[in-house]
């Protein structure tokens, strides 16, 4: 039936809620697309100097990744859906964050949303990936580098600890897209021009 497709479409719509933009608007801050990296994400909102707005963005962008996964997981048995649909719903939410229908398809890099998807889908893998992000972010102070390394470690952890499964297949495009979205950050990292976590941007407030 069309219900699984509807679930995927709904996940995409939820993912399309760009909370960096929404939270900034509600809190009366400048649009994060207008300063710093121009990225609508928690890291860039932090460059406004408003920690509360950044944390709220991080949490809401992560929650919107987790919600479709958990909803589909909960409906799996009563609806007779396969176990992989939850992972594809997570991927759809992630894609919504990258290309949001509500924001002219100009979205973010998907780090917080991917974290939400992972934590909901495979909590163990999610926590391990989160710890990887934290360790690299803490030691290097680069949010982007931490995200890239954490994303690359996901398939590695999956293979080494849990073993590849059909569910984990959806994680591969998510991790690849995440790294690809950091192309500009990678250039800046190599050029030594990447800004560190919490460095304020000019023109942010
Ligand atoms: O949350 C995305 C992060 O990895 C990089 O963000 O603003 O530094 O490009 P930004």
């Amino acid at each position: 039936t069309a219900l699984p497709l509807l679930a995927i479409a709904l996940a995409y719509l939820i993912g399309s809620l760009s909370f960096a933009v929404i939270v900034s608007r509600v809190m009366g801050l400048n649009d994060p697309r207008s300063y710093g990296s121009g990225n609508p994400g928690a890291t860039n909102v932090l460059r406004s100097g408003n920690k509360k707005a950044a944390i709220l963005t991080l949490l809401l962008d992560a929650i919107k990744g987790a919600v479709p996964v958990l909803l589909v997981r909960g409906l799996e048995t009563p609806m007779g859906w396969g176990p992989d649909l939850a992972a594809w719903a997570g991927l759809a939410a992630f894609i919504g964050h990258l290309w949001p229908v509500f924001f002219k398809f100009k979205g973010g890099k998907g780090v917080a949303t991917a974290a939400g998807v992972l934590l909901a889908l495979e909590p163990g893998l999610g926590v391990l990936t989160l710890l990887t992000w934290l360790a690299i972010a803490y030691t290097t102070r680069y949010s982007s580098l931490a995200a890239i390394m954490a994303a690359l470690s996901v398939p590695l952890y999956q293979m080494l600890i849990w073993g590849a499964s059909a569910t984990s297949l959806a994680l591969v495009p998510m991790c690849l897209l995440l790294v690809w979205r950091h192309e500009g950050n990678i250039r800046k990292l190599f050029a030594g021009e990447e800004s560190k976590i919490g460095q304020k941007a000019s023109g942010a407030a």
Side-chain angles (χ1 to χ4, degrees), residues 37 39 43-44 47 109 111 143-144 147 182 185:
S37 67
N39 188 58
T43 301
N44 202 37
R47 294 191 184 104
K109 300 176 184 176
V111 181
S143 178
S144 57
H182 283 79
N185 301 87

Side-chain angles (χ1 to χ4, degrees), residues 132-147 149 189 194-197:
T132 306
W133 188 94
L134 279 172
I136 298 167
Y138 185 76
T139 48
T140 69
R141 297 269 144 205
Y142 291 124
S143 178
S144 57
L145 183 66
M149 301 300 274
L189 282 165
E194 180 68 313
S195 74
K196 301 209 167 182
I197 291 172

